[in-house]
Amino acid sequence: RGRIDRWSVNIPRTVVMFQQGTSPVLHDGIPAKDGTGSVDEGILKADDRCGMDWELDRLYTETGAPYFAYPYADIWREHLIAHLLQIVTGKGLTIPVIGYWPDGVQCVATISHDSDLNIDETADTTLDVLKECGIHSTWCMIEPGYHSAVYERVKRDGHELAFHYNALDIQNGKWSEDEFDRQFEWLKQATGLHAVTSNKNHYTRYEGWGELFEWCEKNGIQADQTRGPSKKGNIGFLFGTCHPYFPIAWFDRHNRLYDVLEISFLTQDLDHVNLADSSVVIPFLEQTAKVEGAAHFLFHQVHIHQQPAVTDALRKVVAEAVKRGFQFWTSEQINNWERSRRGIRIDGIGEQGEIMASGTEGINGIIVYLPMPITEAGPNVVERFGVPCRKTVLNRSARNLSL
């Protein structure tokens, strides 16, 4: 009485190879023929191993800016879930699904900054622009960092202080666990923080498969942002996803999930004189909204300070995102929500369709979709994953931004 459906594509493997690369990073990647993606510059980075094709997977904006257009991993994952739910409801059964974001939040946008040159004046300019835009962001700090007064203002203004590990050889950085530990200890002492949630590697420097995640785990870093583009021509959904995810280990670590949430980024410093222009903002936001993901944009403080066009691009990102219903969260907020969400368990469904769940204490606005075998009209009936679902909100609250 059972059923076996066989896919000709190994979807879990496909998702992993998009998100984490086709193999460990051991040598330079293959550059784009048009010169827009010279990843073979002798620096090992996250984008040296990528499942995308330079010719087949890029589109161009009206200004001619190339970008990887589709979050394939997210789309494959949704197709697999949709197929499962269609089979289940076809048999008169159901499987509850927890929503990606809390009630009232359609999609999330996040802005991060890398301090790099560590000029205090650039930090002050950036803080003023963020206050004007009305958002909070994540500040990834690289040694030797700012003066202490800057950190105090960053915290006072409600932003997140994070780590920016430097393993770039030409800057006397080093790819090693001991050096990661040393730099992280500097950050805690410099900022006065006992715990730091997030990291992003300088220049997206990367080697191997899961070493970085192991170092993060050891130091209590719960989220990473390293997986993103380093070149003008490989921006966009380079790793096939805009959803936060827990990466999987190689077979030598028994394919365990690392306890580090990866939040990849789409692009950096739009309208910078040497980088991509802001014509990609709307395509990025629209595609992220389709899969209910998180749109992550990187802006360096020094470029916000020195190039008015970059500052205006940041304003454009905020304005276009707000117009489309995005809410701006920090990396820490995304991490806290995703971990809370994954701790929720649906224990049962009552006779009237009420949801019985555990692990919900202190978590507001939890959306539960209950796929229905029979289509019925109603104010709480929505289509999700291609099937009609009854939408229930647990611990309903007007706002859920405290996470």
Side-chain angles (χ1 to χ4, degrees):
R1 296 180 182 179
R3 170 172 174 166
I4 296 176
D5 284 36
R6 180 188 182 277
W7 291 71
S8 60
V9 174
N10 184 333
I11 296 179
R13 177 181 172 85
T14 297
V15 168
V16 169
M17 293 180 74
F18 273 125
Q19 293 181 163
Q20 294 182 243
T22 53
S23 68
V25 177
L26 303 176
H27 49 79
D28 268 343
I30 300 172
K33 293 180 181 179
D34 63 3
T36 61
S38 54
V39 294
D40 58 337
E41 81 279 62
I43 301 172
L44 296 183
K45 311 167 304 305
D47 54 6
D48 281 320
R49 283 295 166 272
C50 175
M52 296 291 180
D53 185 278
W54 290 112
E55 306 298 327
L56 300 177
D57 293 319
R58 290 195 300 179
L59 295 182
Y60 296 82
T61 67
E62 66 276 10
T63 66
Y67 66 99
F68 288 108
Y70 302 110
Y72 293 129
D74 299 337
I75 296 170
W76 271 117
R77 191 162 38 232
E78 291 226 348
H79 275 297
L80 181 58
I81 296 171
H83 186 70
L84 172 63
L85 295 183
Q86 288 164 10
I87 292 173
V88 167
T89 55
K91 291 182 171 293
L93 305 172
T94 190
I95 298 177
V97 179
I98 298 172
Y100 290 127
W101 306 108
D103 188 45
V105 180
Q106 294 175 273
C107 298
V108 166
T110 185
I111 302 287
S112 66
H113 317 283
D114 300 343
S115 67
D116 289 7
L117 299 181
N118 294 303
I119 303 170
D120 288 357
E121 188 180 8
T122 68
D124 289 332
T125 299
T126 301
L127 286 165
D128 290 342
V129 173
L130 295 171
K131 183 169 290 187
E132 171 199 327
C133 292
I135 64 169
H136 297 137
S137 60
T138 299
W139 290 55
C140 300
M141 300 305 309
I142 193 171
E143 193 177 24
Y146 298 128
H147 287 93
S148 58
V150 174
Y151 300 134
E152 293 308 310
R153 185 183 172 191
V154 170
K155 290 185 282 188
R156 189 168 61 249
D157 285 3
H159 305 291
E160 174 192 3
L161 284 171
F163 185 34
H164 197 41
Y165 168 52
N166 184 8
L168 200 57
D169 297 327
I170 59 176
Q171 295 181 0
N172 297 318
K174 184 180 180 182
W175 182 265
S176 76
E177 181 177 358
D178 289 344
E179 180 62 9
F180 186 98
D181 294 348
R182 187 197 68 76
Q183 291 184 28
F184 186 62
E185 187 60 33
W186 158 81
L187 175 71
K188 290 190 293 183
Q189 291 183 10
T191 60
L193 296 174
H194 299 294
V196 176
T197 300
S198 309
N199 168 69
K200 185 195 303 108
N201 286 2
H202 183 48
Y203 206 72
T204 69
R205 181 77 168 80
Y206 201 92
E207 289 186 33
W209 182 261
E211 292 90 330
L212 172 65
F213 302 126
E214 292 180 358
W215 301 344
C216 287
E217 285 179 326
K218 173 185 173 184
N219 285 280
I221 297 172
Q222 295 188 350
D224 178 72
Q225 310 170 4
T226 300
R227 303 197 66 78
S230 68
K231 300 294 177 284
K232 178 179 180 178
N234 64 359
I235 63 173
F237 302 97
L238 173 65
F239 295 108
T241 185
C242 56
H243 275 275
Y245 65 92
F246 288 95
I248 191 171
W250 206 243
F251 69 92
D252 62 340
R253 297 291 189 272
H254 309 291
N255 299 128
R256 73 178 180 90
L257 291 183
Y258 293 109
D259 189 22
V260 179
L261 189 71
E262 182 62 36
I263 308 170
S264 56
F265 66 93
L266 296 165
T267 186
Q268 57 181 301
D269 301 308
L270 293 170
D271 289 335
H272 183 285
V273 290
N274 296 320
L275 297 173
D277 65 65
S278 58
S279 62
V280 298
V281 170
I282 292 176
F284 287 173
L285 292 173
E286 289 181 343
Q287 193 62 56
T288 299
K290 286 182 180 179
V291 294
E292 298 182 48
H296 181 179
F297 294 85
L298 163 61
F299 285 93
H300 291 76
Q301 293 95 328
V302 66
H303 301 319
I304 293 173
H305 178 75
Q306 294 179 348
Q307 299 188 34
V310 174
T311 307
D312 288 341
L314 171 56
R315 293 187 178 106
K316 178 178 178 178
V317 167
V318 175
E320 294 292 346
V322 171
K323 186 189 304 182
R324 288 165 174 77
F326 283 76
Q327 292 192 18
F328 279 86
W329 288 8
T330 63
S331 176
E332 183 177 22
Q333 286 176 296
I334 293 172
N335 173 72
N336 290 348
W337 166 258
E338 186 65 21
R339 288 176 179 273
S340 296
R341 171 182 172 270
R342 289 175 181 247
I344 298 167
R345 293 291 178 268
I346 306 299
D347 299 319
I349 304 168
E351 293 183 0
Q352 303 302 317
E354 63 272 23
I355 303 296
M356 294 173 283
S358 56
T360 64
E361 185 176 354
I363 310 173
N364 295 328
I366 304 161
I367 297 175
V368 179
Y369 296 106
L370 186 62
M372 299 183 299
I374 302 174
T375 303
E376 62 180 61
N380 295 324
V381 176
V382 298
E383 184 176 291
R384 194 68 185 89
F385 296 107
V387 298
C389 299
R390 184 183 298 115
K391 176 183 173 182
T392 300
V393 179
L394 307 180
N395 301 349
R396 186 181 293 275
S397 174
R399 293 179 64 83
N400 188 48
L401 300 183
S402 60
L403 288 166

